[in-house]
Amino acid sequence: MSRLQIGVIGCGSIARHRHLPEYAENPRAVVRAVCDVVPHRAVEMADKYGARTYADYTELLRDPNIQAVSVCLPNVLHAKVTVAALQAGKHVLCEKPMATSRKEAEEMVEAARSSGKLLMIGHNQRFMAAHVKAKQMLHSGRLGAVLTFRTTFSHGGPERWSIDGADSWFFRKPEAFVGALGDLGVHKADLIRWLLEDEVESISAFVSTLEKPGDVEDNAVCVLRMLSGAMGTLTASWTHHPGEDNSTHLYCEHGVMHIAADPVHQVIVYHDDGDIERIEAGQVATNQSQTTSGVVDEFVDAIFSDRESAIPGSEGMASLQVILAAVQSAELGCVVSIGS
């Protein structure tokens, strides 16, 4: 196969900082088309990457030369555009959260199955070097089982990241569906599932808008129980001033693991025999300091290898379910079992 012909739908910040440059750096892919409802954004990216411009994604999908697309749009559009792309015979890399309901997620998974095309969800936390190293160490067995955990993702808010600033769709419920939970919480739901190789059995959540404008939550605090019996907290916040916190702490039978909590040693393990391991595993990406996510490279390689990606639609749906249950818990004021 010659280079994969790529279309990128949506030319906002995630496309500009992650998808487009990572496709450009991959020798097996080339960006041939970009689409945005704001014409000058598409023109700017088209000029930079030598691509054609579209204002309507349906026109881009009719291009027979485009083999795969990235869906980099407001959350409410993920399912609609992804299903259309799969039905048009394109492989799809969709940003997270993959959908706004389980029904939408199921429709996306079914569209991938029936079309025979690949659907991957962009949960980049799984590819960060510190998380990869932590999982290797965790599953070596020396620490034993994880008993409790804390995982958080917080920063100053999407206005510092979004191309629209304070007027971003992130703050509008009809377009975003949820706030910090969908932007940050779903990342950590996916990470804890992957790190522990375990599923969330039930969740209790509190959400609130403490600082930001708009009608979505800017803070969420959740308590999770895993199928294994492990328990922990997941927090997502847009009111972390200054800087960011993308740390995870695992309290195990035979020690404690701190991940992305130290700027130098991204993984630190305190063993119950007194041994301490401090690992420099590579910096965790932040909005201010981008690193190659690994998502695009995995997507391209999966297509060329004719295999399922590391994060197929079914995995994206499982992580989405945690967020949907958190929303339900906060609304009802009770513990919600996943899938109930």
Side-chain angles (χ1 to χ4, degrees), residues 168-187:
S168 174
W169 60 265
F170 278 96
F171 297 114
R172 297 190 291 269
K173 191 170 186 175
E175 295 165 81
F177 152 60
V178 288
L181 272 172
D183 182 31
L184 306 178
V186 74
H187 269 310

Side-chain angles (χ1 to χ4, degrees), residues 36 186 218 248 250 268 270 295 327:
D36 201 285
V186 74
D218 60 18
T248 298
L250 306 177
I268 302 176
Y270 295 88
V295 170
V327 171

Side-chain angles (χ1 to χ4, degrees), residues 11-327:
C11 295
S13 291
I14 196 67
R16 291 165 178 248
H17 294 294
R18 294 273 175 81
H19 293 252
L20 286 164
E22 291 185 22
Y23 282 123
E25 293 167 5
N26 190 302
R28 295 189 291 178
V30 59
V31 177
R32 292 299 189 198
V34 293
C35 177
D36 201 285
V37 295
V38 181
H40 73 83
R41 292 178 184 171
V43 170
E44 182 185 354
M45 292 300 99
D47 289 346
K48 183 172 183 177
Y49 293 100
R52 294 184 297 278
T53 62
Y54 293 89
D56 185 339
Y57 74 90
T58 62
E59 293 180 5
L60 183 152
L61 296 180
R62 284 196 289 269
D63 185 338
N65 296 312
I66 298 299
Q67 299 164 290
V69 299
S70 276
V71 176
C72 303
L73 297 168
N75 300 338
V76 73
L77 296 174
H78 286 177
K80 176 182 178 180
V81 177
T82 293
V83 169
L86 291 165
Q87 291 175 342
K90 319 299 184 186
H91 301 288
V92 177
L93 171 57
C94 180
E95 267 302 322
K96 55 74 204 170
M98 69 182 289
T100 64
S101 69
R102 182 178 178 87
K103 181 177 182 293
E104 284 186 346
E106 288 173 341
E107 290 171 352
M108 295 165 73
V109 172
E110 173 56 26
R113 187 201 64 77
S114 60
S115 68
K117 297 300 178 180
L118 185 146
L119 170 60
M120 178 174 166
I121 311 303
H123 284 293
N124 64 313
Q125 298 268 326
R126 297 189 185 198
F127 299 105
M128 293 181 182
H131 295 151
V132 172
K133 181 62 177 179
K135 183 169 181 175
Q136 291 172 349
M137 297 176 72
L138 182 65
H139 290 281
S140 71
R142 183 179 176 187
L143 284 168
V146 175
L147 303 177
T148 62
F149 59 85
R150 292 186 290 127
T151 189
T152 189
F153 200 172
S154 57
H155 58 50
E159 68 269 34
R160 306 183 183 196
W161 160 262
S162 173
I163 196 168
D164 293 314
D167 192 38
S168 174
W169 60 265
F170 278 96
F171 297 114
R172 297 190 291 269
K173 191 170 186 175
E175 295 165 81
F177 152 60
V178 288
L181 272 172
D183 182 31
L184 306 178
V186 74
H187 269 310
K188 304 318 289 267
D190 188 73
L191 178 66
I192 206 68
R193 293 180 51 252
W194 176 76
L195 271 179
L196 273 58
E197 295 184 359
D198 198 0
E199 298 296 335
V200 181
E201 185 274 331
S202 58
I203 186 168
S204 179
F206 293 92
V207 304
S208 187
T209 304
L210 302 175
E211 178 183 275
K212 303 299 180 185
D215 52 2
V216 294
E217 82 288 343
D218 60 18
N219 278 273
V221 178
C222 310
V223 179
L224 284 60
R225 181 186 293 275
M226 311 301 288
L227 288 177
S228 66
M231 299 178 294
T233 59
L234 181 159
T235 60
S237 174
W238 283 343
T239 61
H240 189 285
H241 312 298
E244 299 187 14
D245 186 354
N246 193 357
S247 64
T248 298
H249 307 265
L250 306 177
Y251 304 91
C252 309
E253 290 178 304
H254 305 300
V256 177
M257 178 183 290
H258 302 291
I259 311 166
D262 183 88
V264 176
H265 301 100
Q266 292 77 34
V267 181
I268 302 176
V269 181
Y270 295 88
H271 295 277
D272 60 3
D273 61 5
D275 187 24
I276 301 174
E277 295 183 83
R278 294 182 172 89
I279 310 296
E280 294 184 43
Q283 293 300 315
V284 170
T286 68
N287 285 352
Q288 286 71 43
S289 178
Q290 296 293 315
T291 60
T292 299
S293 72
V295 170
V296 162
D297 289 344
E298 167 64 14
F299 179 59
V300 172
D301 188 70
I303 293 171
F304 272 90
S305 303
D306 192 25
R307 62 172 174 81
E308 186 172 67
S309 76
I311 315 171
S314 57
E315 280 292 287
M317 183 164 63
S319 296
L320 174 65
Q321 275 293 99
V322 179
I323 300 308
L324 294 173
V327 171

